[in-house]
Amino acid sequence: MKDKKNIILIYILLILEFLLLFNSKTIIESVKESSLMFVLKILPSLFPTMVLGSLLIKNNIHIIIPNFIKRFFNNVFNFSDIATSIFIISMLTGTPSNALYINEYVDKKLISEKEAECLICSTHFINPLFVIGGVGVGVFNSTKIGFLLLILLWTNNFFKAYLNRNNLHKTNNNHIHIEQKNIIKTLIESIKNNINSLLMIFGIVTTFNILVTLISNIFNLSYLANCIINGFLEMTGGIIKLSSLNINLIPKFILAYIFLNFGGICIHMQTFGMLENKKIRYSKYLIFRLF
């Protein structure tokens, strides 16, 4: 059975190779566009927040979170102090940064894999800079719409955290402190780790944009269909196409929310690529992304 699956995979890869060759000019343009999109849209919003979020996590941000916030998250969502810190920082930095924090805390045994699974389902936040600037201003010419989208996305994740409260078997970690390091060493370590993660993100984004280009060329899709497929496969490209889509405000707003909430298969791969083979079910994560 495994041999048959392997043979099928080889044939699929060969077909893709021929498609790349026959569409080489278009593919090269797609890679160029992906590179520009990454440098101009993704990197500026992700890199500073990823590094800052990593520094906050490594320097025990859960220690300074006010007790009334900790009690609220503990009573309503059954979160430990560590889980609370991950949720709050993820709100500010977005995904896939949340996967980096979750992975680090699982490795340090500050949260369990069961906790990690619940957290990954409810901390899928899109970077606020991208939502307000890239979508609100870039697509709708309105910071108000950007803030409205951000509030809706945050509310959705609070609801998902509440749904998961009975499945969360938290570890006894409220009095465990991460070993503190020299701030310079911590900064350098955070930069190195996040650059590696960003390179992985760049590779996955480029691969998915090539896939979208091939699908569009083969099936000769309309701009609307191309935008929708792009949004579900690679969110940022779909959002960029959405800005040029000539439809009414309400359906455009709904599409923007759906793209941001789902995140795109591309971001799903980035998230699970950062979890380094942790026992976390993708099926559960996918279900939580569909509503």
Side-chain angles (χ1 to χ4, degrees), residues 239-255:
I239 292 293
I240 291 172
K241 285 184 172 67
L242 190 61
S243 62
S244 303
L245 197 60
N246 189 22
I247 58 174
N248 293 330
L249 176 63
I250 293 177
K252 184 179 283 192
F253 179 88
I254 292 171
L255 277 176

Side-chain angles (χ1 to χ4, degrees), residues 130-147 149:
F130 179 76
V131 176
I132 296 169
V135 185
V137 177
V139 176
F140 298 97
N141 251 351
S142 169
T143 54
K144 290 181 180 178
I145 291 179
F147 275 106
L149 281 167

Side-chain angles (χ1 to χ4, degrees), residues 140-235:
F140 298 97
N141 251 351
S142 169
T143 54
K144 290 181 180 178
I145 291 179
F147 275 106
L148 177 59
L149 281 167
L150 185 64
I151 291 169
L152 287 173
L153 292 167
W154 281 1
T155 303
N156 185 281
N157 276 311
F158 274 97
F159 174 66
K160 288 169 182 174
Y162 183 76
L163 287 180
N164 259 325
R165 71 194 185 282
N166 293 328
N167 298 319
L168 194 63
H169 304 291
K170 61 187 180 185
T171 53
N172 186 19
N173 56 36
N174 289 346
H175 301 292
I176 299 175
H177 293 232
I178 303 171
E179 181 184 354
Q180 293 188 349
K181 299 179 181 179
N182 179 279
I183 184 62
I184 301 299
K185 290 182 179 179
T186 305
L187 176 62
I188 292 171
E189 183 182 331
S190 296
I191 291 172
K192 284 181 179 179
N193 291 341
N194 284 292
I195 284 176
N196 288 334
S197 298
L198 285 165
L199 286 173
M200 182 192 71
I201 291 171
F202 172 63
I204 295 174
V205 166
T206 303
T207 301
F208 270 83
N209 279 331
I210 289 172
L211 181 60
V212 170
T213 300
L214 286 174
I215 292 172
S216 181
N217 283 358
I218 293 169
F219 297 101
N220 194 25
L221 300 174
S222 67
Y223 191 84
L224 174 60
N226 193 4
C227 175
I228 292 172
I229 290 172
N230 203 152
F232 279 104
L233 289 178
E234 198 286 300
M235 180 196 72

